[in-house]
Amino acid sequence: KPTGMTSHDVVNILRKKLKQKKIGHTGTLDPDASGVLIILLGKACKALQFLQDTDKVYKSSIQLGYNTDTDDIYGNKISEKEINLDFDFEKVLSSFTGKQRQKVPMTSAKKINGKKLMEYQREGITDLDVYTDVEIYSIKRISKEDLSFIVHCSSGCYVRSICRDFGLKTDNLSCMKSLERIQVGRFTIDMAQNLEDVSLDSIQLYPLEMVLSHIEKIEYQPVKD
């Protein structure tokens, strides 16, 4: 998925390109983010219920100096603060590793009492503290200069929350500067096709067995008449 469009936009474009009525995706990617978006076609859409707990890998970077109402640089600034660079980038990153209760950003589709958090935010309600259980398997530095990193995490983990909480751990205000999803389950960015290149003649399809390879396969004897 390129930046500047929603996951739903991608589905609509592919529905027309591939002349496919039944089509869906396995997990929303923010409009300002790019990267791997798994698309299901036809009968494969029935597999969606088995793909909610797929691990993901992201590349991201942190902006210091201010925080926003969306926890990324595209939101409205809330406060500004002088930047403190007296910290060990790798050490702070490693402190995020493991199972934890993560505070969900208000700009989120997570539902509370049947309503998305982002809908509460649009109504001016911004003081809801909602937490979710996540696990960060690994998080490593890419570059200290631009505070970029790569993180392997469980489904439901918010990278923007990591960027926000980085500021809390380093006496800073911070938010997410960039986000690219480079892997979803067994599917990597190297296996993906650019949206503009996809057509009926060029589309690369993967078998459903591969999508469900994380589920234990049970062998059985054919039923005799």
Side-chain angles (χ1 to χ4, degrees), residues 3 11-12 22 54 57 66 73 80 82 86 88-89 92 115 117 130 139 143 147 163 187 209 217:
T3 57
V11 168
N12 284 338
K22 295 187 68 176
T54 307
V57 180
Y66 62 90
I73 62 172
E80 294 186 59
E82 185 176 350
D86 185 21
D88 184 321
F89 186 38
V92 178
K115 186 187 297 186
L117 279 179
V130 179
I139 182 168
S143 169
L147 298 181
C163 296
F187 294 89
E209 288 80 2
K217 185 177 181 179

Side-chain angles (χ1 to χ4, degrees), residues 60-63 72-74 146-147 163 175-179:
S60 185
S61 60
I62 302 167
Q63 173 67 53
D72 62 24
I73 62 172
Y74 306 103
D146 62 0
L147 298 181
C163 296
C175 57
M176 187 176 72
K177 183 164 58 177
S178 64
L179 183 66

Side-chain angles (χ1 to χ4, degrees), residues 39-171:
I39 300 294
L40 301 174
L41 301 175
K43 293 182 179 179
C45 290
K46 294 181 179 180
L48 180 60
Q49 60 184 308
F50 303 109
L51 298 172
Q52 300 303 311
D53 298 321
T54 307
D55 296 349
K56 298 175 176 68
V57 180
Y58 295 93
K59 283 183 180 180
S60 185
S61 60
I62 302 167
Q63 173 67 53
L64 298 180
Y66 62 90
N67 58 1
T68 70
D69 58 357
T70 58
D71 292 322
D72 62 24
I73 62 172
Y74 306 103
N76 299 311
K77 286 185 181 180
I78 298 174
S79 302
E80 294 186 59
K81 184 178 180 179
E82 185 176 350
I83 295 175
N84 169 44
L85 294 176
D86 185 21
F87 57 80
D88 184 321
F89 186 38
E90 288 185 282
K91 186 175 181 179
V92 178
L93 286 179
S94 66
S95 70
F96 286 97
T97 306
K99 294 182 179 179
Q100 57 201 267
R101 296 278 287 168
Q102 186 182 63
K103 186 177 178 180
V104 180
M106 283 301 297
T107 304
S108 165
K110 190 173 182 65
K111 289 186 176 181
I112 300 298
N113 297 324
K115 186 187 297 186
K116 296 177 181 178
L117 279 179
M118 64 178 66
E119 293 175 336
Y120 284 107
Q121 187 181 50
R122 293 188 190 116
E123 295 173 359
I125 302 173
T126 59
D127 57 350
L128 294 177
D129 290 339
V130 179
Y131 291 82
T132 187
D133 293 315
V134 302
E135 183 170 3
I136 296 177
Y137 305 110
S138 66
I139 182 168
K140 299 178 181 179
R141 178 189 73 173
I142 297 176
S143 169
K144 183 178 180 180
E145 283 65 36
D146 62 0
L147 298 181
S148 58
F149 62 92
I150 183 169
V151 56
H152 176 201
C153 55
S154 63
S155 179
C157 182
Y158 294 90
V159 180
R160 67 181 63 210
S161 291
I162 296 175
C163 296
R164 176 201 64 213
D165 295 343
F166 184 91
L168 298 176
K169 289 174 178 279
T170 60
D171 191 27

Side-chain angles (χ1 to χ4, degrees), residues 166-212:
F166 184 91
L168 298 176
K169 289 174 178 279
T170 60
D171 191 27
N172 279 292
L173 292 178
S174 59
C175 57
M176 187 176 72
K177 183 164 58 177
S178 64
L179 183 66
E180 179 186 14
R181 190 159 67 190
I182 60 174
Q183 186 170 340
V184 178
R186 296 147 300 288
F187 294 89
T188 66
I189 193 73
D190 295 333
M191 301 166 65
Q193 284 183 281
N194 291 325
L195 182 60
E196 60 185 23
D197 296 333
V198 176
S199 68
L200 279 172
D201 298 325
S202 67
I203 187 171
Q204 173 65 58
L205 296 175
Y206 294 95
L208 192 55
E209 288 80 2
M210 181 180 179
V211 180
L212 300 177

